[in-house]
């Protein structure tokens, strides 16, 4: 099996730029949530890398929890159905929740989660998404804290996978076509 770097066509967002953006958002969120005892909720598995960098960049104490959701199977296109693979261990009632996501694609995962957390009685629910693919948006969902917009390509790295691989890349990159041959974008 080839090294990660050998399967990358080109880099979209460097490690430095990712962390610069995350640091900026974390400074803003630290200011906005001062005194609000925020609960950060990361959507597993893709948001893990963003959650780690983001939470460490925040200057106020936060609580963290994780929810494993999947809108994709092993392929590359959204199935449209949200599956809960693992639930939160925190009661969100009355909490100021900030969802941390790696990417908003169709918007279905986020739209479902925002509604679900409100249904459970969260006092507020906002979203930080490191990436957005505006061209693929199907469902309207408000993202208060935004990172970068990316084109509709096979984007991997910093938590984003292709068939469960490449999450460990420390930058955001586009795969070589031969890696996903046979699949449809
Ligand atoms: C990806 C990504 C987002 C979601 C975005 O997760 O991490 O959570 O899809 O797609 P949507 O806007 O069309 O809903 P995925 O379901 O692949 O699970 P993963 O995080 O474990 O990779
Ligand atoms: Mn995900
Ligand atoms: Mg995925």
């Amino acid at each position: 099996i080839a090294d990660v770097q050998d399967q990358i066509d080109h880099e979209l967002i460097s490690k430095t730029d990712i962390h610069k953006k995350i640091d900026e958002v974390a400074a803003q969120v630290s200011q906005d949530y001062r005194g609000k005892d925020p609960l950060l909720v990361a959507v597993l598995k893709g948001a893990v890398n963003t959650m780690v960098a983001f939470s460490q960049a925040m200057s106020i104490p936060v609580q963290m929890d994780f929810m494993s959701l999947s809108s994709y199977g092993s392929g590359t296109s959204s199935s449209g159905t949200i599956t809960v693979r693992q639930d939160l261990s925190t009661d969100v009632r009355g909490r100021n929740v900030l969802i941390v996501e790696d990417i908003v694609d169709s918007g279905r995962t986020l739209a479902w989660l925002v509604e679900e957390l409100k249904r459970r009685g969260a006092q507020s629910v906002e979203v930080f998404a490191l990436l957005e693919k505006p061209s693929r948006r199907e469902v309207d969902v408000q993202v208060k804290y935004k990172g970068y917009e990316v084109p509709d390509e096979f984007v991997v790295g910093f938590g984003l996978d292709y068939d469960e691989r490449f999450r460990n890349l420390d930058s955001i990159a586009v795969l070589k076509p031969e890696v996903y041959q046979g699949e449809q974008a």
Side-chain angles (χ1 to χ4, degrees):
I1 296 174
D3 282 359
V4 171
Q5 288 298 340
D6 297 336
Q7 298 178 70
I8 295 309
D9 191 79
H10 59 278
E11 186 176 276
L12 271 184
I13 309 170
S14 71
K15 180 182 176 180
T16 306
D17 286 346
I18 291 170
H19 287 275
K20 198 186 290 177
K21 181 68 78 178
I22 288 176
D23 289 355
E24 279 171 24
V25 176
Q28 183 65 54
V29 170
S30 296
Q31 195 177 307
D32 294 353
Y33 282 81
R34 190 166 294 277
K36 291 187 170 175
D37 191 23
L39 173 66
L40 306 184
V41 169
V43 183
L44 295 172
K45 307 173 197 172
V48 163
N49 304 54
T50 301
M51 179 67 139
V52 170
F54 177 68
S55 63
Q56 290 181 350
M58 285 191 69
S59 58
I60 59 170
V62 298
Q63 281 187 38
M64 289 187 254
D65 206 344
F66 302 87
M67 197 164 183
S68 180
L69 304 176
S70 187
S71 66
Y72 286 67
S74 59
T76 51
S77 59
S78 179
S79 66
T81 313
I82 309 299
T83 309
V84 179
R85 295 185 293 211
Q86 188 185 299
D87 208 337
L88 300 172
S89 62
T90 311
D91 182 354
V92 302
R93 210 169 314 158
R95 300 299 306 270
N96 293 300
V97 180
L98 180 65
I99 298 170
V100 176
E101 258 291 33
D102 53 335
I103 188 166
V104 190
D105 196 338
S106 71
R108 291 185 188 283
T109 303
L110 261 187
W112 181 88
L113 183 55
V114 168
E115 283 317 304
E116 175 64 13
L117 295 174
K118 285 179 178 168
R119 198 190 60 76
R120 292 182 187 188
Q123 183 175 113
S124 66
V125 181
E126 299 290 356
V127 177
F128 166 41
L130 181 63
L131 304 177
E132 289 186 79
K133 266 187 189 174
S135 60
R136 301 248 302 195
R137 192 68 62 88
E138 294 170 23
V139 177
D140 188 41
V141 52
Q142 203 193 323
V143 178
K144 183 166 184 182
Y145 303 99
K146 294 164 177 284
Y148 295 98
E149 292 191 353
V150 292
D152 190 11
E153 295 181 281
F154 279 88
V155 178
V156 297
F158 210 77
L160 282 89
D161 69 304
Y162 168 63
D163 203 7
E164 295 298 334
R165 290 170 292 135
F166 303 101
R167 295 190 199 272
N168 58 313
L169 182 66
D170 62 5
S171 59
I172 309 275
V174 176
L175 282 179
K176 282 181 178 167
E178 54 262 40
V179 179
Y180 56 81
Q181 60 184 18
E183 283 278 355
Q184 266 192 325

